[in-house]
């Protein structure tokens, strides 16, 4: 395994750690007076892995596999498209059955399973979307110029793993932790009736899926992953990710900013 491929796995591990530990913070905000220090350390370790892998990737050249070992699992993903509908129906059926069975136990378990399936589904769909297609894609006919091109280059996840969803998710998780540390509560409900502010953990949950999918873009354009060879993709998939970021990040940022400002005003 060359160093670029090794860094690909490190980026993946780091993003998964950030997503899972961050979601735990959001889920348990109302049930804890203080978050355990180990959780913050784990979140920081996830970020450290991403940064270290990025530096390692810059410093390491990519070594093409020898002609005797040119198997590319991308072909398997492309062939999966033929049986996609049948497999999707099977997975959905299994998920529905488990949700129905869970309802006999407790509704909280149903919601936990639903969000788990949603997370796995988004990540899996994003993985297939990013990995399928040709290893070397044709030109995308995108002809941005000036400041627009410079801005898109900055948020081009083929070049770096620091996506907008990762940064915003980190800000949200960090603010939740600091809220507990400094005793500045976020008001998620009023008189027991949820308002739109309660949607923040749900939007942030979607962000956690999106940041992993954005990581796939960086990973596969810079190294191998699970036997899928490094690709040279055009900008269309990146723009598709940006489209979802515009919706999810935009809504998350507005709600988060409102909650933070309200909490500070009421506290001081």
């Amino acid at each position: 395994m060359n160093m670029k491929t090794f860094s690909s796995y490190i980026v993946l591990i780091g993003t998964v750690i950030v997503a899972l530990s961050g979601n735990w913070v959001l889920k348990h905000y109302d049930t804890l007076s203080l978050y355990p220090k180990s959780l913050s350390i784990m979140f920081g370790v996830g970020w450290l892995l991403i940064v270290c892998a990025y530096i390692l990737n810059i410093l390491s050249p990519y070594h093409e596999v020898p002609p005797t070992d040119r198997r590319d699992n991308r072909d398997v993903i492309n062939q999966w498209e033929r049986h996609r509908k049948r497999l999707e129906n099977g997975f959905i059926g299994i998920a529905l059955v488990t949700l129905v069975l869970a309802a006999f136990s407790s509704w909280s378990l149903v919601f936990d399973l639903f969000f788990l399936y949603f997370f796995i589904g988004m990540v899996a769909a994003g993985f297939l979307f990013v990995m399928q297609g040709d290893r070397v894609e044709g030109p995308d006919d995108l002809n941005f110029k000036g400041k627009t091109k410079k801005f898109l280059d900055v948020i081009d996840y083929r070049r770096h793993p620091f996506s907008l969803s990762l940064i915003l998710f980190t800000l949200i998780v960090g603010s939740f932790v600091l809220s507990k540390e400094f005793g500045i509560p976020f008001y998620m409900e009023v008189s027991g009736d949820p308002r739109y502010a309660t949607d923040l953990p749900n939007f942030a949950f979607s962000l956690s899926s999106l940041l992993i999918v954005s990581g796939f873009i960086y990973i596969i354009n810079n190294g191998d992953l699970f036997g899928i060879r490094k690709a040279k993709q055009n900008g269309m998939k990146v723009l598709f990710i940006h489209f979802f970021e515009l919706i999810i990040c935009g809504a998350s940022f507005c709600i988060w900013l409102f909650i933070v400002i309200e909490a500070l005003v009421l506290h001081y």
Side-chain angles (χ1 to χ4, degrees):
M1 180 186 295
N2 60 60
M3 296 307 294
K4 272 192 176 291
T5 299
F6 177 72
S7 68
S8 297
Y9 287 98
I10 297 301
V11 170
L12 179 60
I13 293 171
T15 53
V16 170
I17 290 176
V18 167
L20 295 182
S21 58
N23 280 324
W24 198 94
V25 168
L26 300 174
K27 178 178 173 57
H28 293 85
Y29 180 79
D30 291 328
T31 60
L32 295 174
S33 57
L34 282 176
Y35 290 111
K37 294 292 184 182
S38 58
L39 192 65
S40 299
I41 294 174
M42 183 180 298
F43 192 85
V45 167
W47 256 99
L48 181 63
L49 289 175
I50 295 173
V51 173
C52 290
Y54 174 63
I55 296 173
L56 181 64
N57 185 61
I58 293 176
L59 299 177
S60 305
Y62 178 77
H63 299 288
E64 187 62 70
V65 295
T68 56
D69 186 24
R70 288 192 178 277
R71 185 171 183 270
D72 189 349
N73 285 339
R74 182 177 285 103
D75 298 332
V76 177
I77 295 177
N78 290 333
Q79 292 174 4
W80 177 87
E81 187 73 16
R82 304 173 187 173
H83 310 285
R84 183 182 66 178
K85 190 171 183 180
R86 184 174 61 182
L87 292 173
E88 285 179 350
N89 291 338
F91 290 139
I92 292 174
I94 294 173
L96 290 176
V97 169
T98 55
L99 289 175
V100 171
L101 293 176
F104 290 100
S105 176
S106 69
W107 282 106
S108 61
L109 178 60
V110 172
F111 287 112
D112 288 342
L113 285 176
F114 173 79
F115 283 113
L116 175 62
Y117 292 153
F118 179 78
F119 177 82
I120 295 174
M122 281 194 65
V123 172
F127 176 82
L128 294 173
F129 168 74
V130 172
M131 300 301 171
Q132 69 182 0
D134 298 327
R135 184 178 181 186
V136 179
E137 297 180 346
D140 49 29
D141 296 327
L142 299 175
N143 191 25
F144 298 108
K145 297 180 180 179
K147 293 182 179 180
T148 301
K149 184 179 185 305
K150 291 180 180 179
F151 176 71
L152 290 176
D153 287 343
V154 171
I155 58 174
D156 188 343
Y157 304 146
R158 294 171 296 180
R159 303 184 179 192
H160 62 80
F162 309 111
S163 62
L164 294 176
S165 50
L166 173 61
I167 294 172
L168 181 56
F169 185 75
T170 301
L171 289 175
I172 294 173
V173 172
S175 66
F176 272 55
V177 174
L178 292 177
S179 168
K180 294 293 187 181
E181 290 289 338
F182 292 99
I184 306 176
F186 290 156
Y187 296 94
M188 297 294 189
E189 294 185 354
V190 177
S191 301
D193 296 323
R195 56 181 178 178
Y196 73 88
T198 57
D199 290 334
L200 179 60
N202 295 332
F203 275 109
F205 185 80
S206 300
L207 278 178
S208 67
S209 305
L210 195 56
L211 70 89
I212 295 178
V213 175
S214 300
F216 289 145
I217 291 280
Y218 171 76
I219 288 171
I220 204 57
N221 279 275
N222 290 274
D224 301 343
L225 184 70
F226 303 136
I228 304 171
R229 303 304 179 191
K230 174 187 173 184
K232 185 177 180 181
Q233 297 178 329
N234 59 39
M236 294 306 298
K237 288 182 178 178
V238 181
L239 285 181
F240 192 79
I241 298 296
H242 288 332
F243 172 76
F244 282 96
E245 282 187 328
L246 183 64
I247 299 172
I248 299 175
C249 289
S252 300
F253 179 76
C254 291
I255 297 174
W256 170 73
L257 190 62
F258 177 86
I259 292 175
V260 171
I261 293 175
E262 181 189 41
L264 292 174
V265 169
L266 293 177
H267 182 75
Y268 293 107

